[in-house]
Amino acid sequence: MTVDAGAVTPIPDTKPETVEATSSDGARPGAELAAGIPVPVKKRAVPEGYDAPQANLVLRSDRPAKDYFGAADGPAPLKARAIGSYAKGCLAGGSVLPPDGPTWQAMRLSRNRNWGHPALIDYLKDLAADAPKAGWNGLLVGDLAQPRGGPMTSGHASHQIGLDADIWLTEMPNRRLTPEEREEISAISMLKGPLDVKGADRRVDPAKWTDTHARLIRHAASDNRVARIFVSPTIKKALCEFETGRDREWLRKVRPWWGHHYHFHVRLSCPPGSTGCKDQNPPPPGDGCGAHLTYWLSDEPWVPKEPRKPGEKPKVVKKRPMALAALPQDCRTVLTAN
Ligand SMILES: [Zn+2]
């Protein structure tokens, strides 16, 4: 298998992903997903004209789209539509995931990212309801999308059209977390240690990873609405070993990616009737437990070619923020609708 490692810069687990992806042939890790570990939101930069009512908003094509979308506090009151592609689009008629449900709790509420296409909210409620059947107490839900989707002010390149959701690999406790706890509690990494060291043991930590984690992800992936689930390659490996049954089709959807050892990332297919919503190509056939995974678990994607000098930071490719002009035209309507 040809794997184009040059398409990506290995990015340490703590840095947000900078690779933009809108489609995938499955063979190039860099084309698979653009998402990363959520980082705290800085004070929002409010662009000029944003104090004005939404309809009078002055939109400049050359401005970073994240400034506009990051400043929108509520959803666009339009018919629900995922517009564009996962890492280049926006969301009309977004629904909110309530902070609390019987078997879920939304985290990091200050970010106001618990918005999604109604199909995503329905999916999450169904998954939460089924979680106890898998032996999982309930979901702690991380970032979905901003109220009107679009590029985020920090942390992710995808999550733009309301069809992506991060779910913690930490079980919901038996009590309601306070708003403060939801800001401060950290999820638990499933890794044994750092991955970017030559010869690192790239397996999950058996003291943290359990079959219940595996059952939850299997259940999440087996749903027809799901296009892909992104996990750390270490977790993909554990799932490949966990599944001893004959039906390995769900594993096809579970894709290795940077980060994603504190949470898994569910991506739904475009809901029926979503004109202007662009699906990714389906993952390549097979369970994905072969050569592609072996590559991901090797030193190749993780260890810098030239050893870093002590104290030297890894190189991260900085991309210019996406301008409003890069998004589908309908995203302007999404911004100004009120
Ligand atoms: Zn994510």
Side-chain angles (χ1 to χ4, degrees):
M1 175 184 297
T2 347
V3 179
D4 182 4
V8 292
T9 305
I11 292 169
D13 310 306
T14 50
K15 287 282 193 297
E17 177 54 55
T18 54
V19 179
E20 185 201 316
T22 52
S23 66
S24 170
D25 58 12
R28 295 173 54 219
E32 189 97 18
L33 165 98
I37 299 297
V39 293
V41 176
K42 289 196 202 105
K43 185 114 179 67
R44 289 177 197 163
V46 179
E48 284 160 56
Y50 223 99
D51 299 335
Q54 217 75 19
N56 299 331
L57 188 60
V58 180
L59 296 177
R60 279 183 43 192
S61 307
D62 58 339
R63 276 200 77 107
K66 66 178 182 179
D67 291 354
Y68 294 113
F69 284 96
D73 288 327
L78 302 166
K79 184 175 163 288
R81 256 179 87 206
I83 301 165
S85 51
Y86 300 97
K88 197 183 277 183
C90 61
L91 171 66
S95 290
V96 74
L97 179 75
D100 290 290
T103 47
W104 80 79
Q105 297 185 42
M107 303 297 284
R108 309 290 194 255
L109 298 172
S110 68
R111 295 177 178 176
N112 198 24
R113 291 177 178 176
N114 50 330
W115 295 84
H117 189 284
L120 180 67
I121 306 302
D122 287 348
Y123 169 82
L124 290 171
K125 288 179 176 175
D126 291 347
L127 181 63
D130 289 347
K133 293 179 213 159
W136 191 259
N137 201 35
L139 308 180
L140 294 180
V141 184
D143 287 353
L144 312 184
Q146 299 171 140
R148 300 184 187 214
M152 288 194 181
T153 43
S154 63
H156 307 269
S158 69
H159 290 249
Q160 293 195 20
I161 58 176
L163 297 176
D164 294 280
D166 289 341
I167 299 169
W168 286 27
L169 289 162
T170 305
E171 210 169 349
M172 189 186 91
N174 273 325
R175 63 186 181 84
R176 292 290 130 188
L177 297 169
T178 65
E180 294 74 32
E181 285 174 315
R182 293 183 201 214
E183 298 301 317
E184 284 156 21
I185 287 177
S186 299
I188 296 162
S189 168
M190 298 292 122
L191 299 185
K192 271 187 162 173
L195 302 177
D196 59 351
V197 181
K198 204 169 184 320
D201 182 353
R202 298 191 182 93
R203 285 180 295 180
V204 289
D205 184 344
K208 293 169 189 156
W209 174 260
T210 65
D211 281 358
T212 311
H213 288 86
R215 274 192 289 272
L216 177 70
I217 296 175
R218 176 169 66 185
H219 188 76
S222 300
D223 194 298
N224 283 337
R225 292 169 283 186
V226 171
R228 276 176 164 75
I229 289 184
F230 297 97
V231 296
S232 163
T234 60
I235 291 176
K236 170 79 188 196
K237 177 76 175 162
L239 293 170
C240 289
E241 287 165 5
F242 163 78
E243 185 52 84
T244 52
R246 281 166 64 196
D247 180 11
R248 297 177 70 81
E249 187 57 24
W250 65 276
L251 281 165
R252 179 180 173 189
K253 293 185 196 171
V254 183
R255 310 296 297 163
W257 194 249
W258 313 102
H260 295 83
H261 46 90
Y262 292 92
H263 70 263
F264 64 101
H265 174 146
V266 179
R267 170 170 293 173
L268 302 191
S269 306
C270 291
S274 269
T275 41
C277 176
K278 288 192 201 121
D279 276 308
Q280 272 176 286
N281 294 330
D287 60 13
C289 296
H292 183 64
L293 184 58
T294 305
Y295 163 78
W296 266 104
L297 293 168
S298 70
D299 285 345
E300 180 94 22
W302 301 101
V303 182
K305 293 280 175 302
E306 284 168 36
R308 268 182 244 142
K309 295 183 192 93
E312 194 190 341
K313 293 259 169 67
K315 285 189 195 104
V316 175
V317 183
K318 280 236 170 82
K319 287 195 70 172
R320 210 183 290 160
M322 191 181 290
L324 184 59
L327 297 184
Q329 188 67 23
D330 284 356
C331 291
R332 291 169 163 263
T333 313
V334 164
L335 279 174
T336 52
N338 67 350

